[in-house]
Amino acid sequence: MGRVVLASASPRRREILSLLGIEFEVVPSGIEEHTHGDPITTARRLSYEKALDVWKSNKDALVIGADTLVFVGKEIIGKPRDEEEAFQTLSFLSGRWHRVVTAVSFVSKGFRKTVHDVARVKFRKLSGEEIRFYISTGEPMDKAGAYGVQGFGATIVERIEGNFYTVMGLPIHKVYEVLRKLTMS
């Protein structure tokens, strides 16, 4: 397959991609994430922009870029700017269903492909005290929707409909399908 580069600084994405047993390098993208418009279209655009940004300086590689967004209806719920915004976000999601989309783009010389997957997530009803405690762990501060399903945030998730890894930040089944087709051609 040649050289593979993951265009993400996310330790979760590194962990998930390593499940495939392939060697890869990590070169985070420097693009600014503007999240406006349709959530699925936005995630697909951002994943492609990240992959293309890194590919421009790694043209001998297959670059994988990803973006995860949390949304309710068409409203994108981004990463909280501070603890107060994290509290508002988690209070809003408490006891509710929301959706998580993760888009993944593959860019190399002569190859461009973007895939995405959507999962539904329901939080259990949270008290203000529980929300404050979760925020005190620091975990919500760099994550879309102000939670990480793979960490202590697992305690606030009541149900997931769809792929767990999509919620975590990289739908490994979709990544595997694309990589398998690439190695077969």
Side-chain angles (χ1 to χ4, degrees):
M1 180 179 324
R3 192 167 156 244
V4 177
V5 174
L6 176 63
S8 174
S10 165
R12 293 160 301 282
R13 289 193 181 115
R14 282 196 305 262
E15 179 185 333
I16 297 167
L17 189 57
S18 65
L19 293 173
L20 294 179
I22 60 171
E23 287 188 31
F24 62 93
E25 301 165 44
V26 174
V27 179
S29 167
I31 71 149
E32 279 194 46
E33 297 182 23
H34 298 287
T35 55
H36 50 77
D38 176 73
I40 293 171
T41 303
T42 300
R44 289 176 64 91
R45 175 183 52 80
L46 288 170
S47 73
Y48 182 74
E49 287 175 2
K50 291 173 184 180
L52 189 61
D53 176 59
V54 171
W55 180 76
K56 287 176 181 174
S57 56
N58 294 275
K59 292 192 175 179
D60 64 329
L62 170 66
V63 178
I64 302 171
D67 192 72
T68 300
L69 295 174
V70 171
F71 62 103
V72 174
K74 293 287 184 186
E75 180 186 350
I76 296 172
I77 301 171
K79 298 175 184 177
R81 288 181 289 248
D82 55 32
E83 290 185 0
E84 178 56 34
E85 192 169 325
F87 186 87
Q88 291 171 358
T89 297
L90 293 166
S91 296
F92 174 71
L93 294 175
S94 174
R96 297 182 70 161
W97 283 96
H98 60 276
R99 294 182 189 271
V100 178
V101 58
T102 298
V104 184
S105 291
F106 303 81
V107 175
S108 68
K109 186 176 182 182
F111 184 77
R112 305 278 191 279
K113 183 155 184 83
T114 299
V115 297
H116 73 273
D117 194 53
V118 179
R120 291 182 69 220
V121 179
K122 184 175 191 248
F123 278 10
R124 62 183 179 77
K125 189 75 175 146
L126 305 171
S127 70
E129 183 180 317
E130 287 176 299
I131 293 170
R132 280 188 266 294
F133 175 77
Y134 181 49
I135 291 169
S136 77
T137 68
E139 192 175 275
M141 300 317 296
D142 67 338
K143 294 174 184 68
Y147 74 99
V149 71
Q150 73 286 346
F152 193 78
T155 66
I156 65 177
V157 172
E158 182 177 296
R159 185 176 172 106
I160 296 174
E161 291 180 357
N163 189 281
F164 174 82
Y165 292 107
T166 294
V167 181
M168 196 169 154
L170 195 70
I172 195 68
H173 64 296
K174 297 275 186 173
V175 173
Y176 175 76
E177 286 174 17
V178 172
L179 294 178
R180 184 175 59 81
K181 286 178 183 169
L182 268 175
T183 57
M184 293 175 136
S185 59

